Amino acid sequence: MAESARATITCEQVTALLIDYVAGDLDPTTTLVLEQHVQNCPDCMAFLRTYRESIRLTRTLRYEAIPGELQDRVHAILRQKMTGESR
Amino acid sequence: MLRIVPVASPDEAVSLRLEGQIRGPWVEELRRSCAQALATGRGLTLDMTDVSFIDLDGVALFQSLSDHNVTLLHCSLFVGEQLKGGGVMSTIFSAGRVSRGEDEHLSGMRTADVPPARKENSMVGARGGAESACADMTEQELVQRLQAGDTEAFDTLFRQHFSKVYRQALHLLGTAAEAEEVVQEVFLTVYEKAHTFRGASAFTTWLYRLTVNAALSRLRRRTRRKEIALDDYLPQFRADGHHLVRPVVDWSADLEQCLANAQVQQLLWKAIELLQPLDKAVLVLSDFEDLPNREIGEALGLTVLAVKARLHRARLFLRGQWAVALGHSPA
């Protein structure tokens, strides 16, 4: 049973599974097969690292600071429009 | 490994005790738990006593929680410094006393102790009397009062969700002016169409849907730039399943060193602008707003599988853009 039963996976399949792998959504068996492949495949190891780094960098772009007066201004505009509307 | 244990809370807030390390796939698990807790509208307390480590993704998660009614309790010095380095401490801890016991644990502060100016999304309104009647209501109660025409309920919902809506619109559209227009449009719709909200999904999901739809309609009206072949930036494979271009170069450690921060940001925003509007929306809601795929699907009218397919393709495209920027093959 050994060789034929042992799951194998190609680099293309690993790439397709990365979205679930980095989210921790793969089942344990598939995770094991994927990790075994990556550990023995420098190309996939490099691809995984660059994929993760790309996601991390994207997240650094998040806007955090919102001008304090903006909320009050928008609220005032909304109130004007609301009082001008009939429901 | 991270254990997330609901515990009884002396106050209204949902309370979770975290044990272990906030890293890897457990960040997503924690994010889902926090989202579920916050959807109740009762606030969230996280007991960090037994948290020994938090990675960058975990720090990013806590950054995103900074605008919500979340309290962190008993962070160790080490974890506290990790959060502080990510800017989290400045929003959750900075406004009041932080005591250090002999065991060197930091005590967190409830947002109720934070000066009103910081509490954009708190249930305790910054305006005092007029909104105090709504201050302790659940989101469901506020929506019901809104549907009955209560403008104070509207004001409270507005203050609770303004930052999130504005930020989503800004991430999607890229300009403050358009983001402001979208915010007005969304909340006006909330006011006028509150009676159409049936409660089948969470109120926040309805808000996401309104925000994304308003942003998408603007994105689709924009003059299309010269079409680029997205496939040129995606990985390619041989018939036997190996990468087409080998070796695949690991540039993960080089990126920030090779490019100045402003360049990195500019490059990334330009790349994101090249995405199709719907792919961009999926990417923004996932990687900027940390929404789970199910909620993204509900907001955009997509299946979870479709969300994942678009997200993966968008991420691979951005990865390819980075590779090319550094002089490597995207394939």
Side-chain angles (χ1 to χ4, degrees), chain B residues 11 13-16 18 34 38 42-48 62 65-66 68-75 83 88 91-93 106-114:
Chain B
D11 57 27
V14 175
S15 187
L16 300 175
L18 308 181
C34 291
L38 289 169
R42 288 159 50 198
L44 173 63
T45 299
L46 296 174
D47 186 340
M48 308 277 285
F62 280 96
L65 291 176
S66 294
H68 297 271
N69 189 6
V70 176
T71 305
L72 303 186
L73 297 178
H74 311 306
C75 284
L83 291 173
V88 176
T91 51
I92 292 183
F93 292 93
L106 292 172
S107 298
M109 255 181 51
R110 293 190 175 282
T111 52
D113 294 325
V114 176

Side-chain angles (χ1 to χ4, degrees), chain A residues 11-12 15 20 24 43 49-51 56-59 62-64 72-73 75 79 81 85 87, chain B residues 25 60 127 155 167 171 180 184 191-192 241 246 248 250 255-256 287-288 290 308 312 319:
Chain A
C11 301
E12 188 170 9
T15 303
D20 286 324
D43 290 334
R49 285 182 176 153
T50 53
Y51 183 76
R56 188 191 72 79
L57 281 168
T58 302
R59 289 188 168 141
R62 274 192 283 224
Y63 291 111
E64 296 298 340
D72 288 341
R73 184 173 78 241
H75 186 251
R79 276 301 200 138
K81 291 186 177 182
E85 304 268 347
R87 293 184 72 194
Chain B
R127 293 288 183 271
D155 288 343
R167 204 170 1 243
H171 285 143
E180 195 173 320
Q184 287 182 33
Y191 179 69
E192 292 173 349
R246 302 176 72 185
V248 175
D250 181 1
L255 196 54
E256 281 189 292
D287 290 355
F288 289 8
D290 291 324
K308 284 166 57 171
H312 191 40
R319 179 202 163 272

Side-chain angles (χ1 to χ4, degrees), chain B residues 111-122:
Chain B
T111 52
D113 294 325
V114 176
R118 285 224 177 248
K119 289 184 293 182
E120 291 182 57
N121 285 324
S122 173

Side-chain angles (χ1 to χ4, degrees), chain B residues 219-237:
Chain B
L219 284 173
R220 286 169 179 142
R221 284 199 299 266
R222 282 183 181 172
T223 306
R224 298 289 315 185
R225 290 198 181 91
K226 184 180 168 199
E227 295 284 336
I228 65 151
L230 254 65
D231 286 351
D232 288 349
Y233 294 88
L234 299 183
Q236 296 177 55
F237 302 91

Side-chain angles (χ1 to χ4, degrees), chain B residues 26 149 264 292:
Chain B
W26 298 105
V264 166

Side-chain angles (χ1 to χ4, degrees), chain A residues 9-48:
Chain A
I9 193 170
T10 67
C11 301
E12 188 170 9
Q13 289 167 326
V14 165
T15 303
L17 288 171
L18 285 183
I19 184 165
D20 286 324
Y21 177 67
V22 299
D25 288 343
L26 284 183
D27 63 271
T29 303
T30 311
T31 300
L32 185 62
V33 169
L34 184 146
E35 288 180 343
Q36 283 177 340
H37 175 101
V38 169
Q39 278 159 15
N40 293 300
C41 178
D43 290 334
C44 283
M45 178 66 81
F47 197 93
L48 172 60

